Amino acid sequence: MSTTTSQLTIIRPDDWHLHLRDGEQLKAVLPHTARQFARAIVMPNLRPPIVTTNMARAYQARIVSALPDDLRAKFQPLMTLYLTDNTAPAEITRAKSSGIVHAIKLYPAGATTNSDAGVTDIAKCYATLAEMEKHDVPLLVHGEVTDLDIDVFDREKVFIDRVLFPLMQRFPNLRIVFEHITTRDAVEFIKQSSAKIGATITAHHLLLNRNALFQGGIRPHHYCLPVLKREIHRRALLEAATSGNGKFFLGTDSAPHALVHKEQACGCAGIFTAHAAMECYATAFEKANALDKLEGFASFFGADFYRLPHNSDKITLQKKSWTIPERYPFSEEALIPLYANEELHWKMI
Ligand code: DOR
Ligand code: ZN
């Protein structure tokens, strides 16, 4: 790594949590990620969800063929399967031996976008989770309960107490990534848990608190799940991400939705950050005076958790102001990026 106040060169990072969608939408968003990252853990919440190794193989082929020619040899999609009440233990064996499936994703049913096929009761998955533990296949969790009597801002904390902690006791050797953590409670929980559990942190949860949802009016483009939290939580996340603790690593959760589906009476959850992912993380790390900690978080710790080699080439971020476009094309629609029409002061070159 080399750092000056105006330039930062680090080993090429990976994105350990990404939504790429499919078809023309996939073609529209994929180059943003492939320009910056060498690899990405690709979320399986398509319609229908990616529930078998064969589906993951076909989706991987679609991703590779959607890559622009100059990036095809440089970017590798790492596939995941969507856990359901009916995922058979035998599917885990197939996934493991495929070499292309790197994790299984748990969406509690109803927790977020395309989660209606998700798990209704974790107990239904015990045999499958035991198989994952045996084959050392990581479980990725969307850590929120969905009970209507639980406040939306408390869903992550309650998930830790009711689901995650008991799960870790039942399967002590299961490797788990607590995805897109948003609270101080999650940070504390990860810090005191075994080395089997890590967590991804998004750029938007490092940069924004829940005031961003109501800045002078309702802001649908700041709505994601888990929803943005109070400032104390944002600070705890920033402290964790910049601490050099290898349990915390980069996962953008960049989640594109067409403008028409965001600016709605009932708008979709998801923030698109792939257009400037590393610039956003650099902005957050710089504010914390911790640019020297960015490389570990972005380029090493996730690879170590997934037991994959570090990348060898490098990227350079320059201190340079630029204005984020107002929108990007997204199939026939428009896609509004985070910080649309606003300035960022880092640019990847
Ligand atoms: O904000 C989100 N968007 N959170 C998720 O968990 C899913 C994602 C999506 O797929 O749009
Ligand atoms: Zn996600």
Side-chain angles (χ1 to χ4, degrees), residues 238-252:
L238 193 57
E239 220 177 281
T242 59
S243 66
N245 182 337
K247 288 175 151 192
F248 300 100
F249 44 90
L250 185 155
T252 62

Side-chain angles (χ1 to χ4, degrees), residues 45-329:
N45 63 333
L46 303 185
R47 271 186 197 278
I50 304 295
V51 292
T52 65
T53 305
N54 280 341
M55 290 174 85
R57 199 176 277 114
Y59 185 30
Q60 185 189 42
R62 295 199 295 282
I63 296 169
V64 171
S65 69
L67 279 164
D69 289 340
D70 60 320
L71 294 171
R72 189 155 299 131
K74 295 186 178 156
F75 178 76
Q76 194 190 0
L78 308 173
M79 309 313 291
T80 61
L81 299 188
Y82 186 117
L83 186 67
T84 73
D85 290 351
N86 303 314
T87 304
E91 194 58 55
I92 303 305
T93 326
R94 276 193 287 278
K96 177 73 183 185
S97 57
S98 75
I100 64 149
V101 175
H102 292 263
I104 313 292
K105 177 72 188 268
L106 162 65
Y107 287 106
T112 187
T113 306
N114 297 349
S115 65
D116 32 319
V119 171
T120 60
D121 175 1
I122 193 71
K124 295 189 173 161
C125 302
Y126 284 165
T128 303
L129 292 165
E131 201 69 7
M132 289 168 60
E133 185 180 41
K134 183 171 129 196
H135 291 290
D136 199 22
V137 176
L139 176 72
L140 315 182
V141 297
H142 182 111
E144 291 192 288
V145 295
T146 55
D147 315 49
L148 289 177
D149 58 336
I150 303 296
D151 191 282
V152 67
F153 293 99
D154 298 333
R155 287 179 170 186
E156 187 170 279
K157 181 180 167 22
V158 175
F159 183 88
I160 295 171
D161 301 338
R162 288 193 191 166
V163 185
L164 189 55
F165 183 66
L167 191 71
M168 289 165 62
Q169 290 197 309
R170 183 176 283 265
F171 301 104
N173 290 313
L174 181 62
R175 278 191 299 139
I176 298 176
V177 183
F178 194 170
E179 298 285 0
H180 44 55
I181 56 168
T182 61
T183 57
R184 185 169 64 182
D185 311 272
V187 168
E188 289 311 317
F189 180 74
I190 294 287
K191 279 203 227 161
Q192 57 174 321
S193 299
S194 85
K196 297 276 174 189
I197 182 160
T200 54
I201 305 182
T202 76
H204 45 281
H205 288 101
L206 292 177
L207 289 162
L208 305 174
N209 64 35
R210 66 190 195 177
N211 287 340
L213 284 162
F214 308 107
Q215 231 172 354
I218 190 119
R219 299 287 190 134
H221 299 292
H222 289 161
Y223 175 56
C224 63
L225 286 170
V227 72
L228 296 171
K229 301 293 191 304
R230 283 179 181 277
E231 178 65 5
I232 51 159
H233 297 296
R234 189 193 69 83
R235 280 175 196 246
L237 296 174
L238 193 57
E239 220 177 281
T242 59
S243 66
N245 182 337
K247 288 175 151 192
F248 300 100
F249 44 90
L250 185 155
T252 62
D253 199 16
S254 178
H257 290 276
L259 179 153
V260 287
H261 295 127
K262 292 287 291 174
E263 298 181 13
Q264 269 280 337
C266 184
C268 292
I271 299 181
F272 181 69
T273 53
H275 63 296
M278 287 309 297
E279 289 88 344
C280 287
Y281 281 107
T283 303
F285 275 61
E286 183 183 39
K287 280 187 193 152
N289 249 322
L291 277 174
D292 60 319
K293 295 293 199 305
L294 183 59
E295 187 177 42
F297 176 80
S299 312
F300 300 147
F301 301 156
D304 294 342
F305 186 92
Y306 279 91
R307 302 191 180 142
L308 292 168
H310 294 176
N311 299 315
S312 48
D313 68 327
K314 295 182 176 171
I315 63 158
T316 294
L317 292 152
Q318 227 175 34
K319 195 81 191 269
K320 181 176 176 214
S321 297
W322 60 298
T323 304
I324 306 286
E326 180 201 1
R327 57 184 61 198
Y328 288 102

